[in-house]
Amino acid sequence: MLHTASIPDVAVLGGGLFGRLIAWRLARAGRRIALYEKGEPSGRSAAAWVAAAMLAPLSEAASAEPLLVRLGAASLESWAKWLPQLPEPVFFQRNGTLIVWHPADRAEWPLFEQRIRVNASSTMLCDGIVTLHGSQVTQAEPALGTRFHNARLLAGEGQLDNRQLLAALGRALDELHVDTHWRTYVRDDAFPAAGLVIDCRGLGAKQVWSGLRGLRGEVARVHAPGIGLSRPVRLLHPRYPLYIAPKQNDHYVIGATEIEGEDMSPVSVRSALELLSAAYSLHPAFGESRILELNTHCRPTLPDHLPALSWDGATVLRVNGLYRHGYMIAPEMTRETAWLTGAFLDAQIRDTDDFSVWCAASRWPMLYRTATLQPSLTDT
């Protein structure tokens, strides 16, 4: 850890996915950065630790707003460029997402497809959904054999290893001499001195952001040698739709439940049974896999489930509400925040009029919020 007596250009509050990513990009641009995180360097306490890290904007269009879908599509291209710049390798693939369903649930696909077509652009839909029948399903995913007679391949979608990414970003911050303060709690009324503060603490910012709440999600991680899925698979089901994301060394992430509330207790028996039973129905060999983890966390979300970026009128930018789409949209959210940060530090934004003009010129004007914020405790 590097400590300096000078005030940094930017103090980043929160060392989860977004905090590490924005600190890395700003430090690469030559800014002096300090990062404060109440958890440990590994990132185990962050919501980003409990995730499948699927980069699947077309799949998510079945339930996500068009803004999220567009952010996800743009971010997918950025991941392909940014990951090779990290000092450690991060598992990343773009083999697409396979959508399957059991014969009894065949009505689920038309509903799923209808929602996708409402929220996805024509550009994404063009050649984005590939229909597979019979042997084509087996050719696309040999591990599934002949269990599914119909499927859809959402071409070009991807995934990465979330834990490798958190570790690689941590290493990158060290190499760039970011002043990291792990296991450091920052009070709402005592932000560190900096030219600009970027508050991306997730649920840690509840006291200053009205309507921010957590949604509980549960996942299983298993070791299943011999199955050999080559891409994420989504199993459509009217009650518990499932995804299985293959990682390296025959590890799989199985998820995910979504439960209202900020309960951080262990995974329930009901959720574990639903997740593991659905995985077994996808491929019986999952019955012989070994459970590595049953884990849970709460994802920060705003009432409309959309991410938001806000300025307090002084020296604090706040980024929050990435919800279940953190990995999918993080690069584009980072680009927007870095662009805005540069405008503040270079004195291109001095007042609310400048800020309004700047936001209107943004590629993503819908990200900007003001009304949802509580009065900042740092201004009192």
Side-chain angles (χ1 to χ4, degrees):
M1 181 188 300
L2 177 71
H3 295 283
T4 64
S6 60
I7 296 176
D9 297 323
V10 179
V12 176
L13 309 186
L17 169 64
F18 186 81
R20 293 177 194 228
L21 203 57
I22 187 62
W24 175 54
R25 299 310 295 181
L26 291 175
R28 278 179 58 90
R31 305 292 186 180
R32 290 178 297 113
I33 309 299
L35 182 141
Y36 298 80
E37 163 57 38
K38 67 179 181 180
E40 58 190 86
S42 68
R44 285 179 178 272
S45 61
W49 183 261
V50 184
M54 293 188 299
L55 315 175
L58 196 54
S59 299
E60 287 298 310
S63 59
E65 294 281 341
L67 172 64
L68 288 165
V69 178
R70 298 195 333 263
L71 284 166
S75 293
L76 185 51
E77 302 305 319
S78 294
W79 280 126
K81 298 174 183 177
W82 288 3
L83 292 176
Q85 299 171 6
L86 290 167
E88 296 178 0
V90 176
F91 169 73
F92 172 72
Q93 63 171 207
R94 291 190 66 177
N95 294 339
T97 301
L98 191 68
I99 311 292
V100 299
W101 56 89
H102 294 297
D105 302 321
R106 58 184 176 274
E108 293 300 309
W109 167 251
L111 296 174
F112 194 85
E113 182 184 27
Q114 183 180 36
R115 296 194 298 269
I116 286 178
R117 293 189 178 280
V118 168
N119 293 323
S121 67
S122 57
T123 302
M124 292 181 65
L125 291 168
C126 182
D127 299 324
I129 302 177
V130 180
T131 299
L132 304 175
H133 295 299
S135 62
Q136 293 174 323
V137 180
T138 304
Q139 292 171 7
E141 194 56 74
L144 296 181
T146 59
R147 295 181 187 86
F148 298 94
H149 299 290
N150 295 284
R152 299 294 187 274
L153 178 65
L154 306 190
E157 295 195 324
Q159 63 157 327
L160 55 80
D161 187 298
N162 58 317
R163 296 179 181 180
Q164 289 181 4
L165 176 62
L166 293 174
L169 286 170
R171 172 76 177 277
L173 297 182
D174 288 341
E175 291 190 356
L176 291 166
H177 304 298
V178 170
D179 187 8
T180 52
H181 301 261
W182 307 110
R183 302 182 183 88
T184 302
Y185 176 77
V186 176
R187 301 199 327 258
D188 288 314
D189 60 349
F191 282 2
L196 188 72
V197 174
I198 301 178
D199 181 0
C200 47
R201 293 174 295 163
L203 290 177
K206 281 187 67 175
Q207 296 301 313
V208 293
W209 202 314
S210 179
L212 184 66
R213 72 188 196 281
L215 279 178
R216 174 182 168 96
E218 299 161 314
V219 301
R221 283 181 174 259
V222 303
H223 182 220
I227 294 179
L229 290 178
S230 62
R231 58 175 59 82
V233 177
R234 289 181 182 248
L235 176 64
L236 302 185
H237 187 278
R239 181 178 174 185
Y240 40 84
L242 167 96
Y243 62 71
I244 297 181
K247 306 301 181 184
Q248 289 178 306
N249 303 317
D250 298 313
H251 287 195
Y252 294 84
V253 178
I254 305 170
T257 63
E258 186 170 296
I259 302 169
E260 190 71 44
E262 297 176 11
D263 176 12
M264 293 288 288
S265 63
V267 174
S268 69
V269 171
R270 177 192 297 273
S271 295
L273 288 172
E274 289 183 350
L275 290 173
L276 298 177
S277 296
Y280 177 77
S281 76
L282 180 77
H283 197 307
F286 276 109
E288 299 303 319
S289 64
R290 296 298 182 259
I291 299 173
L292 303 176
E293 293 179 29
L294 291 170
N295 218 332
T296 186
H297 213 290
C298 292
R299 286 83 57 98
T301 187
L302 293 163
D304 58 5
H305 294 321
L306 294 177
L309 196 159
S310 185
W311 177 44
D312 73 342
T315 61
V316 180
L317 287 177
R318 290 189 170 89
V319 184
N320 219 314
L322 274 66
Y323 181 36
R324 56 179 282 176
H325 306 111
Y327 285 93
M328 188 179 83
I329 67 174
E332 204 60 23
M333 293 292 296
T334 299
R335 283 184 185 276
E336 190 74 10
T337 305
W339 176 67
L340 191 61
T341 298
F344 278 110
L345 294 179
D346 297 338
Q348 298 177 57
I349 298 178
R350 296 182 176 87
D351 54 32
T352 54
D353 289 338
D354 290 343
F355 183 68
S356 296
V357 171
W358 202 264
C359 295
S362 163
R363 182 182 181 185
W364 311 107
M366 291 176 63
L367 290 177
Y368 293 90
R369 312 281 184 90
T370 53
T372 55
L373 283 175
Q374 303 280 20
S376 173
L377 297 178
T378 59
D379 296 336
T380 60

